[in-house]
Amino acid sequence: ETGVTQSPTHLIKTRGQQVTLRCSSQSGHNTVSWYQQALGQGPQFIFQYYREEENGRGNFPPRFSGLQFPNYSSELNVNALELDDSALYLCASSSPGPILNYGYTFGSGTRLTVV
Amino acid sequence: AQTVTQSQPEMSVQEAETVTLSCTYDTSESNYYLFWYKQPPSRQMILVIRQEAYKQQNATENRFSVNFQKAAKSFSLKISDSQLGDTAMYFCAFMKDNDYKLSFGAGTTVTVRA
């Protein structure tokens, strides 16, 4: 059983650029969520995808967007990067059924630095 | 909106001793779920323990146990027989029933000293 893998592990971008972060869900998981974790803070929910559609969204602007593919891998896209977007971005997947029974499996994150 | 508060930014404990981390939350929901996650330097968030609000019995997982006080909206984590591998950031998290979004606290850094 594979876990959740994220790429790249680190990334440096310039303000105003666009970035794509990738996540490969754990085998058998068809739901993926993305979280933003600023330095010294707890993760904040960005959005969730289920069966290739956005299933819920946190308090993030539209320049944060995502995709989920038929193989349940996922992308997080951020346009017009701002300095405050510098953070650790975590991907979490979960299996079908009530989330509480199985819990989330988190990846190790992508550290994004915007300069 | 739910808020989760962890009032201890840092805790230090001697190996083999016990440490307790505090967490309080604010919600109007009657049924919900509470979690403690561990984030070591590897950055991967690992589930430590889970508590369903409708269960009165406190959850226990090996050396980890919780003290869940629903009326006080308190959910503390006790780590017994601390080990060097327990050194990590610990996050308390809340999720409403039939929901999918975790609301996290700001975290407590736990350092286990040899």
Side-chain angles (χ1 to χ4, degrees), chain A:
Chain A
E1 177 180 283
T2 59
V4 175
T5 57
Q6 292 187 243
S7 62
T9 55
H10 296 84
L11 198 54
I12 299 175
K13 287 287 191 178
T14 302
R15 187 171 51 183
Q17 286 187 316
Q18 179 267 344
V19 68
T20 297
L21 310 182
R22 293 179 173 82
C23 172
S24 177
S25 300
Q26 180 166 318
S27 176
H29 287 190
N30 64 358
T31 301
V32 65
S33 299
W34 286 89
Y35 288 79
Q36 180 195 64
Q37 185 179 8
L39 193 62
Q41 298 182 23
Q44 298 290 318
F45 176 75
I46 303 175
F47 45 56
Q48 182 186 65
Y49 277 79
Y50 174 65
R51 293 185 175 177
E52 303 176 52
E53 292 193 359
E54 188 177 292
N55 190 40
R57 190 177 186 92
N59 189 26
F60 281 81
R63 58 190 186 84
F64 284 78
S65 63
L67 284 173
Q68 186 183 31
F69 300 98
N71 65 355
Y72 304 133
S73 64
S74 175
E75 286 181 356
L76 165 65
N77 298 290
V78 187
N79 293 323
L81 283 166
E82 301 177 0
L83 297 180
D84 285 349
D85 295 334
S86 294
L88 179 68
Y89 288 85
L90 295 167
C91 171
S93 70
S94 57
S95 59
I99 286 176
L100 309 163
N101 289 342
Y102 302 97
Y104 280 113
T105 300
F106 280 87
S108 297
T110 294
R111 172 74 66 191
L112 172 65
T113 302
V114 182
V115 297

Side-chain angles (χ1 to χ4, degrees), chain A residues 35 43 104 106, chain B residues 2-6 23-25 32-37 45 47 49-51 75 90-96 101-107:
Chain A
Y35 288 79
Y104 280 113
F106 280 87
Chain B
Q2 282 66 231
T3 58
V4 179
T5 302
Q6 295 179 249
C23 172
T24 58
Y25 56 93
Y32 48 86
Y33 301 82
L34 296 162
F35 306 83
W36 279 98
Y37 278 89
M45 202 74 76
L47 178 64
I49 200 165
R50 178 181 69 236
Q51 174 81 43
F75 183 61
Y90 287 80
F91 291 96
C92 178
F94 172 101
M95 181 158 59
K96 294 190 298 185
K101 180 180 73 173
L102 287 166
S103 297
F104 286 88

Side-chain angles (χ1 to χ4, degrees), chain B residues 46-65:
Chain B
I46 301 165
L47 178 64
V48 174
I49 200 165
R50 178 181 69 236
Q51 174 81 43
E52 293 90 342
Y54 64 86
K55 288 186 177 179
Q56 293 186 342
Q57 186 174 5
N58 289 322
T60 298
E61 287 287 343
N62 300 315
R63 298 182 294 107
F64 299 88
S65 61

